[in-house]
Amino acid sequence: MNKEVFAIAFSERKQAEAIKEISLKIKLIFPKEINYLILLFTPDYNPKNLLKTISLTLKPKKILGLTSPFLIFEGKVISKGVVACCVNKDGMELQETFSKATNPQETELFLASSFRKLKKGDFAFLSFISSKVNPNDYIRGVKMSLGKFPNILGSGFTKQYSLHNSQIINNTIDDGLVNIAIKGLTIRSLRLGGYVPLGKPFIITKTTSNRDIILEINNQPAINIYKHYLQEKFDTFIKNHLFSFYPLGININDSLKLITIIDCLEDGSLICMGKIRKKESGHIMLLDSSLLIENLKRKLSPLRNNGQTLTFIINSLTRKKTLGEDAKKEISAIKKTLGDKSKVIGLYADYSFFSDREEENIDIEAGNLIVTMWE
């Protein structure tokens, strides 16, 4: 019989009682010791209370805790509760660091000093960013300190959803930048989209120097592309700020990179989540819920593993809002497709980032779903 590597548990009880319930479930699988504990909790919970109880019950060697408005446990979307995952794998190494770095230079120095001795091919690199850290500053810091990197992914928030600090790193509770380097554990990742292009392609003709604001599309104010396609619905679109329902798909290397529009300025410029360049072509995109289930089954079926696997999902709050009730169907279908052997947990975030395997560039998106397989 194979030795257990992963154990997961969920509780929706209040504060310390939730940890006590989770501890009883985890100890049925790992009665002696807990090496690594991942704790995901909704904003209803005070991390100080959770950490205090964990120290008395599970006593893990290392702990990572993250707050999110919605969690994933097996085939369900959780709006209130605590999800725990324990990892006890022989030969696994985990190096964790925390920083309040708020600009690229600070991030560069922090990353360089924290991971100087690590080799790119030896570890997977996970980062989780609070609302106090600018994701673009973080990505610039990664590039300056680590260069091109084939094995990085993570998530972050642009808003603060809790009255408490949102991150736990061992005995520290704070808000900032959490970095985890994992060795001895294979992590594969896959992005799931489901967006389809609308209308004819356009050309980005003018941007700002830092490439996060589109000034012109097809030599006109960028907002006009939405006016053209939405027509009589445009005023309602602007009034209700519905940009997240219609991201831009930019053509890069024969694939579409999703760019979410955050806001529109008075001059018609569009503020982006992600980077864009002049002369890039693209489409307005729409999430087609009718294609989601079939699409994820086709992409996930080859990844199904009959051995022990942890599936960690980084999902999109924008995607959840767009899908409505179909968001639950999507998570349920992922669990069903991967099978009972795969333990499924995850969280929803404002954005995710990942490194392109071929170009080794780091992209940031706010609409797709990332499935990671830990083996």
Side-chain angles (χ1 to χ4, degrees):
M1 185 176 179
N2 293 333
K3 181 181 177 182
E4 292 288 341
V5 175
F6 306 106
I8 63 173
F10 165 71
S11 176
E12 56 185 354
R13 293 185 178 180
K14 295 182 178 180
Q15 304 299 333
E17 293 304 313
I19 297 300
K20 291 177 182 177
E21 181 181 13
I22 282 171
S23 298
L24 290 174
K25 295 175 181 177
I26 295 294
K27 285 185 175 180
L28 291 175
I29 300 173
F30 297 137
K32 295 183 178 180
E33 65 176 9
I34 305 297
N35 289 330
Y36 307 108
L37 175 67
I38 300 170
L39 194 71
L40 309 175
F41 50 99
T42 54
D44 313 82
Y45 294 83
N46 187 334
K48 289 184 179 179
N49 296 336
L50 300 181
L51 184 59
K52 181 180 179 180
T53 309
I54 287 170
S55 300
L56 297 173
T57 55
L58 291 174
K59 301 178 182 178
K61 294 179 181 178
K62 294 187 176 183
I63 177 173
L64 167 66
L66 302 169
T67 306
S68 171
F70 296 96
L71 308 176
I72 296 166
F73 183 76
E74 296 292 49
K76 297 180 179 179
V77 177
I78 308 298
S79 60
K80 180 181 179 180
V82 180
V83 171
C85 173
C86 295
V87 184
N88 280 5
K89 183 172 183 179
D90 295 337
M92 176 181 163
E93 298 177 22
L94 186 147
Q95 180 176 335
E96 72 292 335
T97 53
F98 173 82
S99 171
K100 292 185 178 181
T102 56
N103 61 58
Q105 292 75 28
E106 290 179 356
T107 302
E108 178 189 6
L109 291 173
F110 165 66
L111 293 171
S113 61
S114 300
F115 300 105
R116 186 180 295 113
K117 297 180 181 179
L118 298 174
K119 297 180 180 179
K120 292 183 183 179
D122 290 344
F123 67 97
F125 192 67
L126 309 177
S127 295
F128 301 97
I129 302 177
S130 79
S131 60
K132 294 184 178 180
V133 178
N134 185 303
N136 292 320
D137 287 347
Y138 164 73
I139 289 174
R140 284 196 292 270
V142 171
K143 290 179 179 178
M144 287 188 289
S145 59
L146 300 178
K148 289 187 175 182
F149 203 86
N151 228 2
I152 184 171
L153 60 88
S155 66
F157 295 93
T158 58
K159 302 176 185 177
Q160 184 170 346
Y161 293 93
S162 174
L163 296 176
H164 313 288
N165 288 323
S166 62
Q167 298 165 331
I168 302 172
I169 188 77
N170 297 328
N171 293 317
T172 300
I173 299 174
D174 216 320
D175 282 321
L177 168 59
V178 175
N179 294 300
I180 307 290
I182 300 177
K183 183 178 181 180
L185 189 70
T186 300
I187 298 181
R188 298 178 290 158
S189 62
L190 175 69
R191 276 183 293 159
L192 296 178
Y195 287 83
V196 295
L198 299 176
K200 296 179 180 180
F202 57 74
I203 301 294
I204 295 172
T205 48
K206 191 174 182 180
T207 71
T208 54
S209 57
N210 58 2
R211 300 187 289 116
D212 59 356
I213 297 179
I214 305 175
L215 299 175
E216 293 182 0
I217 293 176
N218 293 341
N219 294 309
Q220 297 182 28
I223 191 63
N224 286 2
I225 195 71
Y226 286 104
K227 274 186 183 178
H228 176 73
Y229 287 109
L230 295 172
Q231 297 183 9
E232 70 276 2
K233 297 180 181 179
F234 177 75
D235 290 341
T236 302
F237 170 82
I238 292 295
K239 180 181 178 180
N240 294 288
H241 203 78
L242 301 177
F243 290 102
S244 61
F245 290 88
Y246 299 93
L248 303 182
I250 304 301
N251 295 303
I252 298 177
N253 298 327
D254 298 321
S255 64
L256 286 174
K257 173 185 174 182
L258 210 60
I259 300 290
T260 296
I261 304 303
I262 300 173
D263 205 351
C264 175
L265 302 179
E266 290 185 5
D267 64 356
S269 301
L270 300 174
I271 304 175
C272 306
M273 173 67 73
K275 296 295 184 182
I276 38 77
R277 293 181 176 87
K278 284 176 59 177
K279 299 183 180 180
E280 288 180 333
S281 65
H283 289 82
I284 291 179
M285 307 294 287
L286 178 67
L287 186 58
D288 189 342
S289 59
S290 66
L291 299 177
L292 286 180
I293 305 302
E294 210 53 48
N295 180 53
L296 72 83
K297 287 181 179 178
R298 176 174 54 82
K299 288 192 172 183
L300 288 178
S301 292
L303 298 180
R304 180 167 177 151
N305 188 337
N306 291 324
Q308 294 186 55
T309 306
L310 173 69
T311 299
F312 187 90
I313 296 173
I314 299 174
N315 211 333
S316 160
L317 286 166
T318 296
R319 187 183 185 89
K320 183 180 184 301
K321 181 180 178 181
T322 304
L323 288 174
E325 287 300 310
D326 284 339
K328 297 176 182 178
K329 295 179 182 178
E330 182 177 54
I331 298 304
S332 177
I334 290 173
K335 172 60 181 178
K336 187 175 181 179
T337 302
L338 293 176
D340 293 336
K341 289 287 185 178
S342 184
K343 297 175 171 63
V344 179
I345 66 168
L347 54 77
Y348 285 81
D350 286 322
Y351 61 87
S352 60
F353 49 88
F354 50 88
S355 52
D356 180 270
R357 289 289 177 178
E358 295 181 2
E359 300 294 328
E360 297 185 2
N361 291 320
I362 301 173
D363 288 326
I364 182 169
E365 290 185 343
N368 285 329
L369 175 155
I370 298 179
V371 177
T372 68
M373 312 286 288
W374 301 24
E375 300 166 335

